[in-house]
Amino acid sequence: GAGVSQSPSNKVTEKGKDVELRCDPISGHTALYWYRQRLGQGLEFLIYFQGNSAPDKSGLPSDRFSAERTGESVSTLTIQRTQQEDSAVYLCASSFGRAGDEQFFGPGTRLTVL
Amino acid sequence: AQSVTQLDSQVPVFEEAPVELRCNYSSSVSVYLFWYVQYPNQGLQLLLKYLSGSTLVKGINGFEAEFNKSQTSFHLRKPSVHISDTAEYFCAVLSGGYQKVTFGTGTKLQVIP
């Protein structure tokens, strides 16, 4: 079956604009994660959805960042009033949500804020 | 709290030489441990994982890792590397009571022909 997909693959925006990034998880995966990967750096956790539970937003860097997920399907990550330091690759991953389950990663969205 | 430390940000190694990528974790309870690999311009994929049982775990592409509870380590090894192993490797931990995995900062393995 299809893997995790993300769109757009690349996004260039101007400072101050809002952007919306989309993630389509693997069908049947109850857990969905968003990470940020800045150039030359590791994975930075942003937010975690598990089924119908309240999301774990502990990694969101500021209130300009928000994410939604409808049920166990698509998720959108929104960044308002983008800043240059938001430039990074945003990765989405999904899993069956059981402890020890492998996370399957999407190809990422490369965001460039000018 | 759970955390992961990958002390080596870059590891250059000649082709066909052995390699060890170090990973240390911090947790006071039982853990699950993972290694993920990110090839150039590709997404991350699972290399291997330790959940329980044998402390020596074998993964894809000839890699293996050993869980050492006393040293809180999960080092990744390969006896003979190939050019195609050039990639970034991420160690990750999930502790009991936590819902999300914590990733290390990654180690770039550069295989020199």
Side-chain angles (χ1 to χ4, degrees), chain B residues 18 22-23 28 31-32 34 43 45 84 90 97-98 109:
Chain B
R22 296 181 293 167
C23 171
S28 59
V31 295
Y32 298 145
F34 309 81
Q45 59 183 279
S84 60
F90 293 91
Y98 281 80
L109 174 63

Side-chain angles (χ1 to χ4, degrees), chain B residues 9-21:
Chain B
S9 60
Q10 294 192 45
V11 174
V13 62
F14 286 103
E15 191 174 15
E16 297 184 3
V19 69
E20 178 180 85
L21 305 183

Side-chain angles (χ1 to χ4, degrees), chain A residues 91-108:
Chain A
L91 294 169
C92 175
S94 70
S95 78
F96 283 111
R98 298 163 305 195
D101 281 343
E102 173 184 356
Q103 291 185 33
F104 291 83
F105 283 81

